[in-house]
Amino acid sequence: MMNVKKSQVLRNVSEVPSVLAFSQTAPDAGDFGGSIRILLRWKGSIYKKIWKDLLVYYGLYYLITIIHNYVLDEDGKIAFGALAKYCLKNSNSINVMIMLTFFTTTAMHRLFAMQTMIPGTAKVITYFVLSLKPNLPEGPIIVEQFARWTVLAWILTFRTVSKPLRSMFPDIISLQVAGIVKEKERLLLERVETEQNKTPRALMVIDWMLLLMKDCSIQNRFSEKSNYIKVVEVVMTFKKGCGNTIKFATNNMPYALIQAVIIVVYTYGFVTLMARNVEEASTCTFVEVIVNYVPVVPSMQFFVFLVWLDFGRVAVNPFGTDDDDIDVPLLFKTHVQDCFRLANLYSQDFEQIFGPLPQ
Amino acid sequence: MMNVKKSQVLRNVSEVPSVLAFSQTAPDAGDFGGSIRILLRWKGSIYKKIWKDLLVYYGLYYLITIIHNYVLDEDGKIAFGALAKYCLKNSNSINVMIMLTFFTTTAMHRLFAMQTMIPGTAKVITYFVLSLKPNLPEGPIIVEQFARWTVLAWILTFRTVSKPLRSMFPDIISLQVAGIVKEKERLLLERVETEQNKTPRALMVIDWMLLLMKDCSIQNRFSEKSNYIKVVEVVMTFKKGCGNTIKFATNNMPYALIQAVIIVVYTYGFVTLMARNVEEASTCTFVEVIVNYVPVVPSMQFFVFLVWLDFGRVAVNPFGTDDDDIDVPLLFKTHVQDCFRLANLYSQDFEQIFGPLPQ
Amino acid sequence: MMNVKKSQVLRNVSEVPSVLAFSQTAPDAGDFGGSIRILLRWKGSIYKKIWKDLLVYYGLYYLITIIHNYVLDEDGKIAFGALAKYCLKNSNSINVMIMLTFFTTTAMHRLFAMQTMIPGTAKVITYFVLSLKPNLPEGPIIVEQFARWTVLAWILTFRTVSKPLRSMFPDIISLQVAGIVKEKERLLLERVETEQNKTPRALMVIDWMLLLMKDCSIQNRFSEKSNYIKVVEVVMTFKKGCGNTIKFATNNMPYALIQAVIIVVYTYGFVTLMARNVEEASTCTFVEVIVNYVPVVPSMQFFVFLVWLDFGRVAVNPFGTDDDDIDVPLLFKTHVQDCFRLANLYSQDFEQIFGPLPQ
Amino acid sequence: MMNVKKSQVLRNVSEVPSVLAFSQTAPDAGDFGGSIRILLRWKGSIYKKIWKDLLVYYGLYYLITIIHNYVLDEDGKIAFGALAKYCLKNSNSINVMIMLTFFTTTAMHRLFAMQTMIPGTAKVITYFVLSLKPNLPEGPIIVEQFARWTVLAWILTFRTVSKPLRSMFPDIISLQVAGIVKEKERLLLERVETEQNKTPRALMVIDWMLLLMKDCSIQNRFSEKSNYIKVVEVVMTFKKGCGNTIKFATNNMPYALIQAVIIVVYTYGFVTLMARNVEEASTCTFVEVIVNYVPVVPSMQFFVFLVWLDFGRVAVNPFGTDDDDIDVPLLFKTHVQDCFRLANLYSQDFEQIFGPLPQ
Amino acid sequence: MMNVKKSQVLRNVSEVPSVLAFSQTAPDAGDFGGSIRILLRWKGSIYKKIWKDLLVYYGLYYLITIIHNYVLDEDGKIAFGALAKYCLKNSNSINVMIMLTFFTTTAMHRLFAMQTMIPGTAKVITYFVLSLKPNLPEGPIIVEQFARWTVLAWILTFRTVSKPLRSMFPDIISLQVAGIVKEKERLLLERVETEQNKTPRALMVIDWMLLLMKDCSIQNRFSEKSNYIKVVEVVMTFKKGCGNTIKFATNNMPYALIQAVIIVVYTYGFVTLMARNVEEASTCTFVEVIVNYVPVVPSMQFFVFLVWLDFGRVAVNPFGTDDDDIDVPLLFKTHVQDCFRLANLYSQDFEQIFGPLPQ
């Protein structure tokens, strides 16, 4: 049996879906209080994401203002004004916008497509459990082994794409300690993905599952013969899901595009730092103060771009540790729990729970 | 039997689809009267959505006009004019537009994708009912139980995402009162989603359904053996639909993006309040009146943005109480009615209704 | 047998697909004559759609020109010039464009998605006909009944969304007159969708189909037992298609959005009426004439917007009487014809038509 | 046997996929030579598409220049300058761009969706061939007939949408001459699609296929009984594909939209002819020459729009004779070849080709 | 047995998925170091892609500066200034942007659609292996042959679209040398795709697979009769995948569009070379230096366009040798390895690996 460490597997009550839903569902759109509550939220908020950049930006902004007002001489001020005007002309925000829209839309398009292909363990296990003959003496053991291997294939797949899961299970030994892998299986697994045998480990485990099913078919353990090929189909879909997950993570957006977007956004930020209408400012003290000390409009634009960029980059790598990332360790716990529960279906009996049906 | 409270379950005649369709279908595009009728409609209209914002906006607008005309002295007026000009230059509406397009398109893309995955109870129940052997003595009871559990799983899923349904059924007792849950089942359900057993309740109910089907298979109640695995497949699809619904509601658009869009739109609104061409206005009394008192064009832009934002936010949380939201309680009533009707299919007889077929 | 009124069901030769295709296929892109032919076409053309708006627009335009030239005094002309300039500045067509693109794209996205889900009767009937045992004495009657009910469910579904079909069959009696409903069935149908029994009528008919199939299964009329559950699946898909059609028609684009788009486009139209460069015009008689009497460029823009808006609105309600709408009554005739033909497949014999196969 | 005329059916070696692929695959992006080779290609190139328009455009451009320089008097020149300035202001290319993007994207979206639904004959034939009992004496004849009818249904479908195929087979007699239709079948086919019997011909042929399959089922010719309903399913999918192809071709983009886009693009072209900065040009001889005789930038924009428009229009009607169109006659030849080959599978024997398997 | 040359088939450890994933997964978005690491990466980077263009661009830029400053006389400078101003006005970057967005989005849309249709060999082989009766004496040979043919069909398909694979296997002999084709098969393959027999080679191989399966069905080698038609379905899906791959590669984006985009981007580049604000520059030495020697902003725009163009062109031809291309030879090695492993499943025994199950 899997003796996964308690602290690793047991999720807190705050992680039960319905509780999560209470706290995570967005408030109604028509609700004014809802808008306020959304704006005041800190977790995963725009403020949390950009407060550091904000500090740096405003620091630099005031530094430039101070240099202009107190450091530069007349000539310097003229050069400064000319440069500021030049920057103002070239701070074309629409292009940055179109580029960001393209980048983020593409990244999210991929992400959504991937989310529908992510492999789940529940369907595979349920299918296998329910397609076996009931009351086989070796049934519970087979079912436990199959369910454990399904979870194992899932872990070996997500270990390659998710850093948090990788630090949870840095090697096969750690999986054995957690009871997910048995001694014998560990030895087999350690032989692959090496110089001699380059089979990916997840595929190895799926092969075991197929062999176990072949054995069940030979030993006539399926309640109907045709169930065998149906379960094979479900396992192949699971395998494809695993493959797609790895493909998505390693073969996603071209680096050059991500680099281009980052460079464009930060260059825009630097340009807006300088892009101040010095001439206009000098016509009126009130506006001068605003231009020099309250750069709300240009900075807001830049910060919106930063958030947008961040949004796209999270979509490029959704298995990391960002606030909006998919919480792979939580997902792992859910899969382990499901796997226990579904394997139990084999030995559970309807009448034991609800009593005999009235005739 | 489910003795759901009449007032809860019985939908009004005005909720029957065909009647709804008469009143909700959009008029023909080519029809001039149709355009007028669309513009004059109040329910779910742009006017209903924004009249409060409109009042506040115009109030502030006139306040600023009054301050400028009667409160400010000459210096103040110059500062005001400079600030107004500064605002006018920075009120870049295209960027707001592109951002809103992105936000709303993304939110709606998700919503549409979700709508095709929303679970329905009718298919599951029909499949189960029709795949059993006819005329089993325990048949009607089994069918009733299965249909009720399907609806129960549906409710437990949508309770987590829809506030209106949550206030309809705040706890398991309320479900028992409505006859959807039996005493024994309530006790079992109350044991999960607690600190000791964190299985989500909907999954628990689906496990019961699977156990009931396993029992039917063992007792040889399916009219064909292979029906068993087919019904399992339909139930697994239903389960996936439930899971997707919760995933959609809890893991939708990043908060930071919603915040960013709200901040951008309202900042744009505040900037347009100030962004008036004071200089131009002063050249001609007629235009001065328009600029100061009839800000149709700038305000219209802002209100279009508000409607658009609202549209996107409704798409982010489609299970709430907004006018365009999915009416989950009505959906619930429909599912309960369907469940009754379809369970009846088991004991209904073609010949009883239409008489024997002529040979 | 269905004795649908001749004039209702028989489609003209010009409605046979291949003839339609000849006349409706767009000419080749590279063909110059093709472009001309496209531009000269009247049916469903841009000219037909907007000639009335064009008349009103030009009427108003010349009226304003006349007022400016012959009615206004010097002060009035100055105010007019100022207002015209103000309008010119605020006639931002890009925003209207982005908004229209969003609206129309979204509406069409939905429409395309719906078109792939629209239910067809042919598949259901063919499946049922071919899965029965051949040469049953009661076969032709069963097949005729099933085919008729399929068409009936289709009609009852599309009656709720399509006005033209609704005026073709205003009530159940009219369906009985057309031979689509029998006396007994009419009585049953009239009992639903009332205060006491709110089951939608189409669902009622689908229930009859399921009962008929259950009866066939019990009486062992399917050539293979497993055909039963397969036909159930096809019927369930048909039912889902019906449900999706109604869902699409009643739960489409929010009213507020349609209102917003209409308001924005017409406001833009009114603004362009005034938005004339009076100053520039006064510098040169030639340009003055153009500005005052040949507003090709601004009006063209507006009319393109009108066409675009119309396009989006047709996509919102594709079952109406607009030129580009889906012709539901024609579709109905096609389904009735198909239903006759496919039900005949049951009693038709390959050898009767083509003679015995050479051995 | 089909004795299709050699010249019609035999494709040249240059039409074999792998040879096509060698010549049609786009060069590598990183390859500089590749860019040059792409730019120098004539077939299907931008130059081929627009050289005629280019000639007309430059002709008109120089004509206007000549009129300005040598024909107009001083007053005329002033009017010309004013008109040119007016045109320059109103040549808003962004709107044309957004509109074209919308039109082309929508057209291509439809095209791509259609391409995945286009019916193929190979799957239907393979399925039928392999699901029959081997070694039936009448097998080869049945298989040949079924394969021929599948191709016939395909042709009758694509004849309605593709002009080239229509001129290849103008009537049923021409199909009989090509050996695709037999005498008896021709007589049957000529009776439909007339005033008395409006069944589309393709549906008639599919009915024959279904009857043949029913006959095979009755005569117990399927190697497994359940194969029958599976082949029915494949044939229904094929039928749906045929229907979708016709639907796509006859019910595509609204004419009004195509007209609007054509009008907008050509109006833009005419406006750019006049839109020259006469004032600026007069300040410097060098620029004057460029403005008057080398209108590279404005004309390029217009030609890009032309290409884009052309691209969209090809997507609207992809079955024509444009360079980028689907080559329906080639497709037809491929289907005929495939049909021969696959029908042969029935009588071919593995051991005849590869000898007996070593035991 | 396949004796593929070691160097060809054995992938390096650095090509094992999990190792690839470690190095290729994008860093977390929130991680500041991650941004830096992304920006500093060389492989597949923006720098690698554009450094040559960068050199040429800056060379030309300085050349023009030098010509202006040291070569031109006063008249020339005036003409230069006028031309520069003319270019500045006409360097409309938004249009280039919209066009690029359209091109790249369309190319990527196609690419993503294709990626989901790319054929894989694993599913076909697994299905066939597991649907055979276990322990047939000829089993291992049949399984090996089938697996080898699947890989062969895959290679013959991808040879037509991927240059790298084509240079790996320039002819059928090279495939025989690698052990993928046997003598007899080579002779058969060399007879097709010639003037006499134009069947594509991949289809030929798939025919062999179908014949082998037919033979297995006749010889009663499937563990269940119904498995036969299921494997046929999987093979047909594989065949469709092969066809789609070729269709995608040969029938992708129209050449004219690619040409148009390349011409537009490079013309934009040339225009920005000249588009310098000479007048403004002369007002202030500091700005003059920037305008003449540090064209960061205009050049950055152009380089972003170049990257974007490159991105789109890689998407048009994803089987080439670009950095972001699909690595077809690596894919080939993976398929060969998988094919070995899966064919082994036939003779592998669960109990041999894990011992007998405890009862």
Side-chain angles (χ1 to χ4, degrees), chain A residues 277-288, chain B residues 78-79 82 85:
Chain A
N277 201 332
V278 181
E279 271 173 51
E280 198 182 67
S282 61
T283 59
C284 166
T285 329
F286 185 59
V287 171
E288 197 179 355
Chain B
I78 288 170
K85 213 174 149 194

Side-chain angles (χ1 to χ4, degrees), chain E residues 90-234:
Chain E
N90 285 292
S91 62
N92 189 341
S93 63
I94 298 176
N95 285 1
V96 185
M97 211 120 204
I98 296 180
M99 184 149 201
L100 269 173
T101 310
F102 168 74
F103 170 68
T104 311
T105 307
T106 308
M108 286 185 51
H109 186 87
R110 293 227 68 181
L111 178 61
F112 288 174
M114 191 274 298
Q115 281 176 346
T116 67
M117 298 186 304
I118 230 173
T121 58
K123 196 178 178 187
V124 182
I125 300 173
T126 313
Y127 246 82
F128 183 74
V129 167
L130 297 182
S131 65
L132 286 185
K133 277 184 191 154
N135 307 320
L136 290 173
E138 72 273 35
I141 291 166
I142 291 177
V143 157
E144 184 272 328
Q145 205 154 24
F146 189 89
R148 196 162 45 74
W149 284 348
T150 311
V151 170
L152 181 56
W154 190 92
I155 294 173
L156 291 174
T157 300
F158 278 86
R159 266 188 79 237
T160 60
V161 299
S162 164
K163 233 193 226 165
L165 199 67
R166 214 144 60 207
S167 42
M168 212 163 154
F169 298 115
D171 46 27
I172 309 293
I173 286 281
S174 65
L175 285 167
Q176 192 184 351
V177 170
I180 295 165
V181 159
K182 296 214 169 148
E183 178 73 17
K184 172 130 206 194
E185 296 158 11
R186 180 177 62 78
L187 294 176
L188 288 167
L189 279 177
E190 281 173 353
R191 263 192 262 147
V192 292
E193 288 199 3
T194 62
E195 197 60 62
Q196 279 72 38
N197 184 337
K198 280 163 222 93
T199 313
R201 280 168 185 152
L203 288 192
M204 184 67 144
V205 177
I206 288 172
D207 282 359
W208 296 346
M209 289 162 67
L210 293 173
L211 280 176
L212 178 55
M213 280 155 56
K214 204 180 82 172
D215 196 57
C216 288
S217 165
I218 294 173
Q219 308 292 337
N220 207 15
R221 293 199 194 100
F222 287 106
S223 62
E224 268 205 293
K225 277 203 146 193
S226 62
N227 285 353
Y228 172 42
I229 210 76
K230 268 175 206 150
V231 182
V232 167
E233 194 170 347
V234 176

Side-chain angles (χ1 to χ4, degrees), chain A residues 78-79 82-83 85-86 89-90 92 94-95 98-99 102 106 109-110 137-138 141-142 145 149 160-161 166 184-185 188 193-195 198-200 203 207-208 210-212 214-215 218-219 221 225-226 228-229 232-233 236 239 246 249-251 254-260 262-264 267 271 310 313-314 316-317 320-322 325, chain E residues 10-13 16-18 20-22 24-30 34-35 38-39 41 44-47 49 93-94 97-98 101 104-105 108 112 115 122-123 126-127 130-131 134 223-224 227 230 277 280 284 286-287 290-291 297-298 300-301 304 307-308 311 324 337-338 341-342 345-346 348-351 353-354 357-359:
Chain A
I78 288 170
L83 183 64
K85 213 174 150 195
Y86 177 79
K89 257 187 203 155
N90 285 292
N92 190 341
I94 299 176
N95 285 1
I98 296 180
M99 184 148 200
F102 168 74
T106 308
H109 187 86
R110 293 228 68 181
E138 73 272 34
I141 291 166
I142 291 177
Q145 205 154 26
W149 284 348
T160 59
V161 299
R166 213 144 61 208
K184 171 131 208 193
E185 296 158 11
L188 288 168
E193 288 200 3
T194 61
E195 195 60 62
K198 281 165 220 92
T199 313
L203 287 192
D207 281 358
W208 296 347
L210 292 173
L211 280 175
L212 177 55
K214 204 181 83 172
D215 196 56
I218 295 173
Q219 308 292 338
R221 294 198 193 101
K225 278 203 145 191
S226 62
Y228 171 42
I229 210 76
V232 168
E233 195 170 346
M236 294 311 287
K239 184 185 165 189
I246 291 182
T250 55
N251 202 340
Y255 257 83
L257 193 75
I258 306 178
Q259 288 175 328
I262 294 177
I263 290 173
V264 164
T267 308
V271 168
D310 179 272
R313 288 183 55 201
V314 167
V316 168
N317 176 25
T321 54
D322 292 316
D325 275 349
Chain E
L10 290 186
R11 49 182 175 184
N12 302 323
V13 155
V16 170
S18 60
L20 272 174
F22 281 112
Q24 285 188 3
T25 314
D28 286 353
S35 291
I38 285 180
L39 287 179
R41 199 183 141 111
S45 76
I46 185 174
Y47 321 115
K49 273 185 209 302
S93 63
I94 298 176
M97 211 120 204
I98 296 180
T101 310
T104 311
T105 307
M108 286 185 51
F112 288 174
Q115 281 176 346
K123 196 178 178 187
T126 313
Y127 246 82
L130 297 182
S131 65
S223 62
E224 268 205 293
N227 285 353
K230 268 175 206 150
N277 200 332
E280 198 183 67
C284 165
F286 185 58
V287 171
I290 289 179
V291 165
V297 175
M300 204 184 68
Q301 186 107 308
V304 164
V307 172
W308 211 339
F311 188 41
D324 295 315
Q337 276 205 343
D338 274 23
R341 230 191 51 246
L342 294 170
L345 275 185
Y346 186 77
Q348 268 179 326
D349 195 11
F350 182 78
E351 301 205 352
I353 303 179
F354 291 99
L357 283 167
Q359 295 291 326

Side-chain angles (χ1 to χ4, degrees), chain B residues 95-109:
Chain B
N95 285 1
V96 184
M97 212 118 204
I98 296 180
M99 185 151 200
L100 270 173
T101 310
F102 167 74
F103 169 68
T104 311
T105 307
T106 308
M108 287 185 51
H109 186 85

Side-chain angles (χ1 to χ4, degrees), chain B residues 9-306:
Chain B
V9 170
L10 290 187
R11 52 182 174 184
N12 302 324
V13 155
S14 64
E15 291 166 1
V16 171
S18 62
V19 182
L20 272 175
F22 281 112
S23 63
Q24 284 188 3
T25 315
D28 285 352
D31 187 1
F32 184 70
S35 291
I36 298 293
R37 238 172 312 133
I38 285 179
L39 287 180
L40 292 184
R41 199 183 141 112
W42 172 256
K43 208 199 148 205
S45 75
I46 185 175
Y47 320 115
K48 189 174 168 197
K49 275 185 208 301
I50 65 171
W51 72 269
K52 281 184 216 151
D53 301 79
L54 207 81
L55 269 188
V56 173
Y57 186 88
Y58 275 84
L60 286 174
Y61 198 92
Y62 293 139
L63 189 70
I64 291 172
T65 298
I66 288 164
I67 288 172
H68 173 249
N69 287 358
Y70 306 107
V71 177
L72 292 182
D73 57 358
E74 233 15 68
D75 280 3
K77 279 190 181 173
I78 288 170
F80 184 94
L83 183 64
K85 213 174 149 194
Y86 178 78
C87 285
L88 203 60
K89 258 190 202 151
N90 285 292
S91 62
N92 189 342
S93 63
I94 300 176
N95 285 1
V96 184
M97 212 118 204
I98 296 180
M99 185 151 200
L100 270 173
T101 310
F102 167 74
F103 169 68
T104 311
T105 307
T106 308
M108 287 185 51
H109 186 85
R110 292 227 69 179
L111 177 61
F112 287 174
M114 190 274 299
Q115 281 176 345
T116 67
M117 299 185 303
I118 230 172
T121 58
K123 198 180 177 186
V124 182
I125 299 174
T126 314
Y127 246 81
F128 182 75
V129 167
L130 296 182
S131 65
L132 286 185
K133 277 186 191 152
N135 306 322
L136 290 173
E138 73 271 34
I141 291 165
I142 291 177
V143 157
E144 186 271 329
Q145 205 154 25
F146 189 89
R148 196 161 46 73
W149 283 347
T150 311
V151 170
L152 180 56
W154 189 93
I155 293 172
L156 292 173
T157 300
F158 278 86
R159 265 187 80 238
T160 59
V161 299
S162 164
K163 230 192 226 165
L165 200 67
R166 213 144 60 208
S167 42
M168 213 162 151
F169 297 115
D171 46 26
I172 308 292
I173 286 279
S174 65
L175 285 166
Q176 191 183 352
V177 170
I180 295 165
V181 160
K182 297 213 169 150
E183 178 73 17
K184 171 131 209 195
E185 295 158 13
R186 180 176 64 77
L187 294 175
L188 287 168
L189 280 177
E190 280 173 352
R191 263 193 263 147
V192 293
E193 288 200 3
T194 62
E195 196 60 64
Q196 278 74 35
N197 183 338
K198 281 164 221 91
T199 313
R201 280 169 185 152
L203 287 192
M204 183 66 144
V205 176
I206 288 172
D207 281 0
W208 297 346
M209 288 161 67
L210 292 174
L211 280 175
L212 177 55
M213 281 154 56
K214 205 180 82 171
D215 195 57
C216 288
S217 165
I218 294 173
Q219 309 292 337
N220 208 13
R221 294 198 194 101
F222 286 107
S223 61
E224 268 205 292
K225 277 203 146 193
S226 62
N227 286 352
Y228 172 41
I229 209 77
K230 269 175 204 150
V231 183
V232 168
E233 194 169 346
V234 176
V235 170
M236 294 311 286
T237 308
F238 174 69
K239 184 185 166 188
K240 177 146 215 164
C242 292
N244 280 333
T245 305
I246 291 182
K247 230 187 257 171
F248 170 80
T250 55
N251 201 341
N252 199 329
M253 299 287 278
Y255 257 83
L257 193 74
I258 305 178
Q259 287 175 330
V261 178
I262 294 177
I263 290 173
V264 164
V265 168
Y266 280 94
T267 308
Y268 178 81
F270 282 115
V271 168
T272 60
L273 275 181
M274 267 314 291
R276 34 183 99 181
N277 200 331
V278 181
E279 271 172 50
E280 198 183 69
S282 61
T283 59
C284 166
T285 330
F286 185 59
V287 171
E288 195 177 357
V289 170
I290 290 178
V291 165
N292 279 334
Y293 299 103
V294 198
V296 174
V297 175
S299 69
M300 205 185 65
Q301 187 107 309
F302 173 53
F303 292 124
V304 165
F305 288 169
L306 273 186

Side-chain angles (χ1 to χ4, degrees), chain D residues 137-305:
Chain D
E138 72 273 34
I141 292 166
I142 290 177
V143 157
E144 185 270 330
Q145 206 154 25
F146 189 89
R148 196 161 46 74
W149 284 347
T150 311
V151 170
L152 181 56
W154 190 93
I155 294 174
L156 291 174
T157 300
F158 277 87
R159 266 187 81 238
T160 60
V161 299
S162 164
K163 233 193 222 163
L165 200 67
R166 212 143 62 206
S167 42
M168 213 163 151
F169 297 115
D171 46 27
I172 308 293
I173 285 280
S174 66
L175 285 166
Q176 191 183 352
V177 170
I180 295 165
V181 159
K182 296 216 169 147
E183 179 73 17
K184 171 130 208 196
E185 295 158 12
R186 180 176 62 77
L187 294 175
L188 288 169
L189 279 178
E190 281 173 351
R191 263 193 262 148
V192 292
E193 289 201 2
T194 62
E195 196 58 65
Q196 279 72 36
N197 184 339
K198 281 165 223 90
T199 313
R201 279 168 185 154
L203 288 192
M204 183 67 145
V205 177
I206 288 172
D207 282 359
W208 296 345
M209 290 162 67
L210 292 174
L211 280 176
L212 178 55
M213 281 155 57
K214 204 180 83 171
D215 196 56
C216 288
S217 165
I218 294 173
Q219 309 292 337
N220 208 14
R221 293 199 193 100
F222 287 106
S223 61
E224 268 204 293
K225 277 203 146 190
S226 62
N227 286 351
Y228 172 42
I229 209 77
K230 268 174 206 152
V231 183
V232 167
E233 194 169 348
V234 177
V235 170
M236 294 310 287
T237 309
F238 174 70
K239 183 185 165 189
K240 178 148 213 162
C242 293
N244 280 334
T245 305
I246 292 182
K247 229 187 259 171
F248 170 80
T250 55
N251 202 340
N252 199 327
M253 299 287 280
Y255 257 84
L257 193 73
I258 306 179
Q259 287 175 330
V261 178
I262 293 177
I263 290 174
V264 164
V265 168
Y266 280 94
T267 308
Y268 178 81
F270 282 115
V271 169
T272 59
L273 275 180
M274 267 313 292
R276 35 183 98 182
N277 201 332
V278 182
E279 272 173 50
E280 197 182 68
S282 62
T283 59
C284 165
T285 330
F286 186 57
V287 171
E288 197 178 357
V289 170
I290 288 180
V291 165
N292 280 333
Y293 300 102
V294 199
V296 173
V297 176
S299 69
M300 206 185 66
Q301 186 107 309
F302 174 54
F303 292 124
V304 165
F305 288 169

Side-chain angles (χ1 to χ4, degrees), chain A residues 11 18 21-22 24 26 28-30 35 38 46 93 108 127 224 280 287 301 311 341 345-346 348 353, chain B residues 82-83 89 95 99 102 106 160 166 184 193 198 207 214 226 233 250 254-255 259 313 317 321-322:
Chain A
R11 51 182 174 185
S18 62
F22 281 112
Q24 284 187 3
D28 285 352
S35 290
I38 285 180
I46 185 173
S93 62
M108 287 185 50
Y127 246 81
E224 268 205 293
E280 198 182 67
V287 171
Q301 186 108 308
F311 188 41
R341 229 189 53 246
L345 277 185
Y346 185 78
Q348 268 179 327
I353 302 179
Chain B
L83 183 64
K89 258 190 202 151
N95 285 1
M99 185 151 200
F102 167 74
T106 308
T160 59
R166 213 144 60 208
K184 171 131 209 195
E193 288 200 3
K198 281 164 221 91
D207 281 0
K214 205 180 82 171
S226 62
E233 194 169 346
T250 55
Y255 257 83
Q259 287 175 330
R313 289 182 55 200
N317 176 26
T321 54
D322 293 317

